[in-house]
């Protein structure tokens, strides 16, 4: 009887010991996992940070496969599944907002003149497709109103104001967004902060973005900018943290290479601006 009791006690002791080991191991795992998740979130390491979908903006339209700032590049951006199309806007001599990056017309049209020295009727006769590729011959410079009317409900737009001091440009763009009721489908950006302040003054509902090549000082405190559009090689983990602390988004430009796409994804930027929207989408997946 004593031998049996001793054997039974040993079995009970073993069961209790195994149970303690399992409980201890489970507790250790839970505590370790909790600490790890907390640390990763606080450090902003990519794998466990906010994994919301990164938006993709087609730079001057999908300009890898069509002439920049044209109907063709906008349609290609839509076909490639971009979320936004970034377009550059300037005024002609007679005050029509058109899609054009440079003030000088030569690079895209071959014409030696400036955009503010020609009327829209004259500009419409210039061919911006032939210099890109023969298949686009006959493509001309579209006006902003036509683009918004045709495509404003098919894709969102990032409209960059290219002129520093021209309040008429901002007035005209905002009036078109109001006319076509696209204030919630378009953002207005500029490298000139004064333009963003003016846009907010005349219509506070329109989302605005400040374009920067470099980040220095307390830039994220600029209230008239809802987000910051920053050259990708200037964006660091600290950049994203500082913007987040001020409640601002970070948009990265112009990102076309795989390693830079992945770096922006790891940093957790909100929007990637690229010439190749379909390629970026493929890499992000």
């Amino acid at each position: 009887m004593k031998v049996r009791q001793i054997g039974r006690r040993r079995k009970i002791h073993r069961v209790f010991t195994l149970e303690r080991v399992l409980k201890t191991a489970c507790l250790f795992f839970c505590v370790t996992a909790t600490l790890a998740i907390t640390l990763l979130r606080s450090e902003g390491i990519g794998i466990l940070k906010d994994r919301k979908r990164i938006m993709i903006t087609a730079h001057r339209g999908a300009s890898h496969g069509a002439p920049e700032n044209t109907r063709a590049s906008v349609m290609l951006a839509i076909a490639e599944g971009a979320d936004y199309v970034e377009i550059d806007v300037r005024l002609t001599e007679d005050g029509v907002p058109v899609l054009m990056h440079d003030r000088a017309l030569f690079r895209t049209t071959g014409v030696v003149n400036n955009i503010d020295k020609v009327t829209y009727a004259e500009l419409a006769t210039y061919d911006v497709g032939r210099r890109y590729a023969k298949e686009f011959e006959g493509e001309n410079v579209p006006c902003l109103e036509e683009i918004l009317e045709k495509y404003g409900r098919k894709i969102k737009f990032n409209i960059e104001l290219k002129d520093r001091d021209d309040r008429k440009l901002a007035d005209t763009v905002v009036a078109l967004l109001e006319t076509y009721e696209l204030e919630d489908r378009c953002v207005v950006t500029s490298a000139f902060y004064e333009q963003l302040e003016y846009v907010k003054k005349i219509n506070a509902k329109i989302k605005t973005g400040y374009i920067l090549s470099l980040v220095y000082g307390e830039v994220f405190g600029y209230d008239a900018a809802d987000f910051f559009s920053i050259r990708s090689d200037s964006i660091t983990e600290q950049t994203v943290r500082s913007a987040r602390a001020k409640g601002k988004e970070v948009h990265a430009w112009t990102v076309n290479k795989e390693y830079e796409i992945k770096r922006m994804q790891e940093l957790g930027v909100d929007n990637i601006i690229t010439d190749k929207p379909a390629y970026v989408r493929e890499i992000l997946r």
Side-chain angles (χ1 to χ4, degrees):
M1 288 294 293
K2 288 183 179 179
V3 174
R4 289 179 181 175
Q5 287 177 350
I6 291 171
R8 191 174 298 162
R9 286 172 187 165
R10 284 176 179 170
K11 287 181 180 179
I12 293 171
H13 177 71
R14 287 194 190 108
V15 171
F16 284 156
T17 301
L18 179 61
E19 186 178 353
R20 287 194 190 100
V21 170
L22 290 173
K23 284 183 177 179
T24 302
C26 183
L27 180 62
F28 177 77
F29 174 79
C30 291
V31 172
T32 303
T34 301
L35 288 173
I37 291 171
T38 302
L39 177 63
L40 289 172
R41 282 177 175 165
S42 66
E43 291 299 317
I45 296 175
I47 194 170
L48 284 177
K49 68 172 58 173
D50 181 7
R51 302 301 290 178
K52 73 176 185 178
R53 180 173 173 269
I54 297 174
M55 297 287 106
I56 295 175
T57 296
H59 180 237
R60 307 180 194 175
S63 52
H64 74 102
E68 66 181 59
N69 285 313
T70 60
R71 302 168 191 83
S73 67
V74 172
M75 290 189 291
L76 184 57
I78 294 170
E80 291 196 358
D83 299 292
Y84 284 83
V85 176
E86 185 266 347
I87 51 177
D88 305 294
V89 178
R90 292 182 181 273
L91 291 178
T92 59
E93 185 181 36
D94 51 344
V96 178
V98 296
L99 277 57
M100 180 64 65
H101 181 273
D102 304 349
R103 180 170 179 260
L105 296 170
F106 184 77
R107 180 176 65 87
T108 53
T109 68
V111 176
V112 181
N113 209 335
N114 291 334
I115 187 74
D116 55 344
K117 301 299 181 183
V118 298
T119 65
Y120 177 63
E122 183 180 355
L123 181 67
T125 67
Y126 299 163
D127 191 322
V128 294
R130 182 175 59 249
R131 292 171 69 87
Y132 185 90
K134 188 175 181 179
E135 64 187 281
F136 293 104
E137 187 172 352
E139 190 83 27
N140 63 0
V141 179
C143 67
L144 178 61
E145 182 168 13
E146 176 195 344
I147 294 297
L148 294 179
E149 184 179 15
K150 284 186 176 179
Y151 308 110
R153 294 295 169 184
K154 296 179 180 178
I155 195 166
K156 296 179 179 181
F157 283 90
N158 173 334
I159 303 171
E160 181 179 347
L161 306 181
K162 299 300 292 184
D163 294 330
R164 177 190 290 272
D165 300 317
D166 195 339
R167 293 291 183 262
K168 185 178 179 181
L169 176 62
D171 282 329
T172 308
V173 169
V174 170
L176 285 173
L177 296 184
E178 292 171 345
T179 298
Y180 291 97
E181 299 181 346
L182 295 173
E183 298 105 307
D184 61 339
R185 292 187 57 80
C186 296
V187 299
V188 173
T189 59
S190 183
F192 308 115
Y193 185 70
E194 301 87 347
Q195 287 284 41
L196 305 182
E197 288 183 307
Y198 185 69
V199 168
K200 283 293 189 184
K201 181 179 178 180
I202 56 180
N203 191 325
K205 294 188 296 182
I206 296 174
K207 193 173 179 180
T208 55
Y210 192 15
I211 301 172
L212 299 172
S213 294
L214 296 172
V215 177
Y216 55 90
E218 297 297 322
V219 295
F220 299 115
Y222 286 98
D223 294 333
D226 297 301
F227 65 91
F228 289 78
S229 185
I230 305 170
R231 194 175 68 191
S232 66
D233 60 8
S234 297
I235 298 174
T236 65
E237 188 174 324
Q238 185 57 48
T239 306
V240 177
R241 283 183 180 176
S242 298
R244 293 281 187 275
K246 294 291 186 178
K248 308 291 186 177
E249 293 181 1
V250 174
H251 297 202
W253 58 270
T254 301
V255 186
N256 292 321
K257 296 181 179 179
E258 181 178 357
Y259 76 89
E260 192 68 347
I261 296 167
K262 290 181 176 179
R263 192 174 80 86
M264 293 301 103
Q265 183 180 35
E266 183 67 19
L267 290 176
V269 301
D270 300 281
N271 194 308
I272 290 177
I273 301 170
T274 178
D275 300 326
K276 307 173 179 180
Y279 178 66
V280 171
R281 182 75 70 203
E282 179 183 346
I283 299 300
L284 291 180
R285 283 174 179 161

